[in-house]
Structures are given as C-alpha cells and as structure tokens.
C-alpha cells in the first residue's frame, strides 16, 4: 500500500486524504505552507465598486476578500481559475463564475470573454508574487488592471531537512503539491542525502507551471504527474493513474514470491518422501539370521517394521497433503493471472475509449473554433452593439438620466459659474454609473473633470468686500499733506470817514487809502512753506472722491468685474499718495491695505472643459 503525502495548507487536504484511504492508499497530511491574510485600505478596495470583471486566483483569495467585507459590484462578471474557487465564489457572493476547461493561467487567458477587453476595468484578486502571467497579458490587451493582493503563502515553522527525515521514516512514495510556494518550502536547504531520496519520489502537481518549477529542482520528468487541476477529484485521478503500473508490478512480484515458496516446499517434500525407502533398505540389510538371538531379533524386527510402516504412511500422507495444497495454490495463481490480464485488457480498453473521446472532443472544439473565427469578423460590430443594448436593458441604466445629469453639470459650470454645484452633479453621475458595468471610460473622464474642478479656487468675495469697507472707514481719519489758509483777521477800519467837517483833510487821506486798497497787492509770507493750499471744501471733495473709488471697487467685486476693481484701487492709491502725509501711520496703514487688495487673484471665469461630455455623447449613441 503506497504512502501518499499531502502538503496542502491546513484544512485543505482532508477530503483528498479520505478519498485516497478509500482507494487503498495510505494518506498523510503534512502542511508545508501557512496562509497570512492582508488588510488593504479603502483606496485599494475601491476598484471593486466599478469593476467590469473580477478574477479570483484561488479559494484563499475568495476567503481573504470575504473577510474584509468590501463593497463589491456583484453585477460584474466573475472568473475563477478552478472549480473549487468557483464554488467558493458562489458560497461567498452568490455569483456564478466563469471557469476555464484548463484550470491554470493559460486556460483562463484563453476564455473568449477575456479577449476583447480594451478599456475595461479588471480587478485581479490574488496572493503576493503570484500569477504574473495573467496580469501581464491582461495589460497587453488594453485593460485597466488593478492587482488586489489579499494574502501571502509562506513556509510553516520547521526545518525542511527534518521534514525529509520524517517522510523517510514513513516510507513516503508520492507527494502532492499544488503551488510553487510549496516546492520552494520543501527544497530549501536540503542536504545531498535528502535530495537523493526525494528525487526518487513521485510528485503529483496541479499544473504544468508547477511541473516546470519542480523540474528546476532536477526532478526527473518521469516522476512528475500533472493533474487536471487542484481539485480533490483531479488529484485523486492523477494519483490513481500514476500508480497503476506500480500496483501491477507489485502483484507480479507477489506471484513470483509465491511460486518460489511453492518450489522450495516441493523439494523439501520430495526429500522427506525418499527417507522411508532408505529406512527400509537399512532395515532389510540388518535382518540376517542369528541363531542365538533368533527369537529376539524376530520380535525386534517386527516392531521396527511396524514403526517404519507407520512413519512411511505419515510421511506419505503429509506429502499428499502438500501436493494437494500446491495444486490449489497453482490454480489460485493461474486464476489471479487470468484476472490480472483481464483487468489489464479492460484498463487498456478504457484508455483507448478515453483517448477516442478526447480526440472527438478536440476535433469538435476545433470545428467550433474554426466556425466562430470565420464569422467573428463579420458579426463583431453587431455583437458589440447588441451587448451594449443588452447591458443597458439588463441593468436598467437610463441614457436620458445620464445625459440630463451631464447637461446640468455643464449649466452649473458655464451659466451659473457654480463650480461646487457642477462638482456635486458629476459626483452624482459617477455614483449612478458605478452600479453598471461597461462605463469605465465615462467614469475615468468624470474623475478627471472632478480633479480639474477641485483645483479651481473660489474668490473670497465677502472677505475682500469687508477689507474694502474697513479702508473706507479710515478715509475720514487721513491727514492731508497741505497747510490750512490762515483766517482773514477782520481789522478795525482804520480809514473810516468822519462826519465832522473840520476833519476834511483826514477824510481826504482816508479816501485815498480806500481807493488804493481796491488794487491787487502782493504780500510775502515768511512763516509758511510753499505747498498746495487747500480749502476745507477741496479737502472734503478729495475725501469724497477717495471714498467713491473704494465704493466702486466694492461694486466691481460684487459684479465680478476684475478690471474695474483694479482700476478703482489704483486711482484710490494715487489719491492717497498725492494728497495725504506719507509719514503718518494712518496713511501708511491705508496704503498697505490697498496694496494687499491689489494683489488678490480675481479669476472669476477659469477655463475648464468637461472631458466627460464627449464620452457621454459617444456612449448614448
């Protein structure tokens, strides 16, 4: 009875071990790998929401993702490398997954639905450093691929050399391996003796990829048996077919040993059968007459003769019994040989039938593939259109609703200049499309538009308006850079005429002075610097003008007229510089505030083009 070692991780080899036990094998569970689950963040899990296709590499990938309880688009198309992974997907998410006939990376990539995937969002749920062939080919076909790593395989604690010594003590004949990581765990740091022993074992692997990885360890290809997949039934079939020859050889050896034993037994019986004759001969030679002991010899001879006859009869009976047993054993051997030949013929017939069936299936598949290839070029456009209409009908996505939301976003952007409103409408459209497959291109354009809108900085109108109001309140406190005109002193009339007739001379002189005062006089002022002399009315008008410029800047801010705003600020600054004291703290404060306000970026109309508009138009058509 062959001893088979199952190296699958803990909890995965019990069913296979039970099948092997029922099939007459000795099965030992010896996990060489452990599974560590990862915890990706929300950014890594977000592609599951808008995925068109989701591919699971193994059962561990399904279990690890299910433990995270992510938000996943169950309307996407699911794929599994093998049947057991597909069953795990059904149990976890209630979705039937597509499974290739050949349960490996090449079989998955050969599926027809994975050929035309340009622009589609695909999520590959996998283990660390696994299935690089799938990822590489999907990218080459133009898909937007997201690798979601959710677990890692690693060797269990322990020394590989100690494992081999333990397996030798169990007399292990075959080893079941379902991953490259298991090969690496077993062959790490082995000595020459362990390598010599393990290279004589039979290996049962789940795919050609593992076979190639195992061959790199200098394992003879005759000792490597490739199963139809990693499932228990596929492994059991591979082990059964791989051990038929060894079981036949064992049976032949047992039959040869039985014949040798029978031959030895026959020779021994022949020797025993010859011994009575020798005894009789010796007895006869000793029966010469002796006169003196005639009576005595006669009695003794009679007794000896009787004993000899009894012994001869017993030996003859034993020989007869052994001869009969040998004949029965020969009949049994002949019957076993006949049964073995019949079993071999039946097995050969089954193999021939299996090969015939496989050839028929292969020929049928070739014919179907040829027929599909012949009509694919002609019907491709029609199929794509029908598929798009079917997806829209199946998932109840209303094109008018999508178009209306897109137009509303454009209205918010161009007519109302409401960038936050446009962002909200586009976010609503993205959430709607996330529930339906085949909308990846539109969603990518929407996210580009959202990024462009997020960069636009809104003008702080209220804050700038309040700053202008503050400057406007300081206008009355500004000090003019001018000297006030002195008040005309009303001097007492020195040249008044007298009513006394006797003062006619004085009256004549006063009349002369009054006449001279009517002419222009130039007076020199030595106590005042030569500067502009402003009256109170002029000062009032200048401050009113300054206030008018500031109010004009406020109005331009509210009406989003950037050029008018900056022109009014520049004119206000010129007034302050021309008419007010520059060394006065109040004047310096106003000039500083005006300079800061003049540096504000009033981009009321940024140029933004929505890339999602064209995508929505193409999709709606």
């Amino acid at each position: 009875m062959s001893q088979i070692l199952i190296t699958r991780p803990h909890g995965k080899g019990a069913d296979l071990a039970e099948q092997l036990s029922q099939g007459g094998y000795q099965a030992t569970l010896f996990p060489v790998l452990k599974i560590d689950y990862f915890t990706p963040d929300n950014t890594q899990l977000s592609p599951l929401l808008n995925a068109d296709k989701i591919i699971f590499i193994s059962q561990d990938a399904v279990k690890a993702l299910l433990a995270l309880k992510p938000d996943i688009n169950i309307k996407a198309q699911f794929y599994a490398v093998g049947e057991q992974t597909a069953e795990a997907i059904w149990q976890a998410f209630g979705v039937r997954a597509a499974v290739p006939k050949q349960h490996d990376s090449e079989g998955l990539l050969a599926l027809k639905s994975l050929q035309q995937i340009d622009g589609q969002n695909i999520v590959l749920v996998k283990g660390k450093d696994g299935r690089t062939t799938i990822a590489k080919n999907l990218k080459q076909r133009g898909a937007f691929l997201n690798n979601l790593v959710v677990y890692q395989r690693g060797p269990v604690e322990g020394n590989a050399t100690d494992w081999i010594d333990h397996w030798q003590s169990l007399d292990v004949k075959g080893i079941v391996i379902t991953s490259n990581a298991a090969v690496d765990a077993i062959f790490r740091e082995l000595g020459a003796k362990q390598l010599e022993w393990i290279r004589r074992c039979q290996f049962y692997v789940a795919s050609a990829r593992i076979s190639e990885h195992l061959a790199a360890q200098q394992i003879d290809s005759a000792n490597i048996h490739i199963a139809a997949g990693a499932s228990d039934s596929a492994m059991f079939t591979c082990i059964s077919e791989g051990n038929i020859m060894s079981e036949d050889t064992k049976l032949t050896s047992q039959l040869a040993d039985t014949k040798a034993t029978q031959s030895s037994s026959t020779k021994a019986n022949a020797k025993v059968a010859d011994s009575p004759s020798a005894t009789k001969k010796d007895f006869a030679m000793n029966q010469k007459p002796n006169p003196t002991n005639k009576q005595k010899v006669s009695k003794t001879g009679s007794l000896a003769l009787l004993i000899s006859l009894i012994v001869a009869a017993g030996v003859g009976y034993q020989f007869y019994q052994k001869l009969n047993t040998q004949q029965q054993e020969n009949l049994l051997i002949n019957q076993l040989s006949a049964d073995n030949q019949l079993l071999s013929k039946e097995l050969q017939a089954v193999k021939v039938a299996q090969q015939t069936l496989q050839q028929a299936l292969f020929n049928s598949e070739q014919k179907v593939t040829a027929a599909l290839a012949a009509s694919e070029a002609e019907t491709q456009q029609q199929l794509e259109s029908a598929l798009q209409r079917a997806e829209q009908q199946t998932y109840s996505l209303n094109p008018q609703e999508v178009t209306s939301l897109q137009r509303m976003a454009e209205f918010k952007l161009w007519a109302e200049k409401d960038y936050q409103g446009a962002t909200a409408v586009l976010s609503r459209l993205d959430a709607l499309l996330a529930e339906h497959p085949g909308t990846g291109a539109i969603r990518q354009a929407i996210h580009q538009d959202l990024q462009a809108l997020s960069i636009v900085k809104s003008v702080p109108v209220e804050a700038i308006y309040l700053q202008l109001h503050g400057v406007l309140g300081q206008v009355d406190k500004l000090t003019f850079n001018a000297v006030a005109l002195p008040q005309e002193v009303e001097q007492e009339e020195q040249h008044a005429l007298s009513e006394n007739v006797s003062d006619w001379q004085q009256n004549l002189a006063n009349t002369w002075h009054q006449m001279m005062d009517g002419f222009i006089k130039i007076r020199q002022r030595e106590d005042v610097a030569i500067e502009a002399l402003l009256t109170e009315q002029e000062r009032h008008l200048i401050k009113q003008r300054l206030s008018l410029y500031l109010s004009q800047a406020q109005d331009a801010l509210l009406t989003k007229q950037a050029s008018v705003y900056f022109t009014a600020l520049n004119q206000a600054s010129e007034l302050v510089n021309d008419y007010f004291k520059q060394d006065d703290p109040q004047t310096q404060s106003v000039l500083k505030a005006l300079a800061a306000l003049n540096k504000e970026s009033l981009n009321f109309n940024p140029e933004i083009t929505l890339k999602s508009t064209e995508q929505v138009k193409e999709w709606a058509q």
Side-chain angles (χ1 to χ4, degrees), residues 479-485 531-535 539 579-581:
T479 303
F480 281 95
N481 188 20
V483 176
L485 291 176
E531 294 178 350
L533 302 179
L534 300 175
T535 64
R539 295 179 184 182
Y579 291 100
F580 298 96
K581 286 186 176 182

Side-chain angles (χ1 to χ4, degrees), residues 39-40 42 45 48 62-72 92-93:
T39 307
N42 292 331
L45 295 174
L48 292 170
V62 180
K63 294 178 181 178
L65 184 63
L66 181 62
L68 299 172
K69 299 179 180 180
D71 294 330
I72 187 170
F93 304 106

Side-chain angles (χ1 to χ4, degrees), residues 50 125 171 236 472 482 511:
N50 62 333
V125 187
D171 194 21
F236 180 77
L472 190 59
T511 301

Side-chain angles (χ1 to χ4, degrees), residues 132-153:
T132 56
T133 301
I134 296 177
K136 179 180 178 181
N137 281 270
L138 293 179
K139 288 181 179 179
Q140 290 177 351
R141 295 175 186 178
F144 294 103
L145 183 65
N146 293 278
N147 289 311
L148 182 56
V149 180
V150 293
Y151 72 95
Q152 180 182 15
R153 289 192 179 104

Side-chain angles (χ1 to χ4, degrees), residues 457 459-461 464 553 556-557 560-563 565-566 569 597-605:
K457 294 182 179 180
V459 179
V461 175
I464 298 175
L557 179 67
K560 299 182 179 179
Q561 300 180 32
S563 59
Y565 169 85
F566 290 113
L569 286 182
L597 289 169
N598 208 3
K599 293 180 181 179
E600 292 288 347
S601 177
L602 302 184
N603 189 9
F604 293 112
N605 299 309

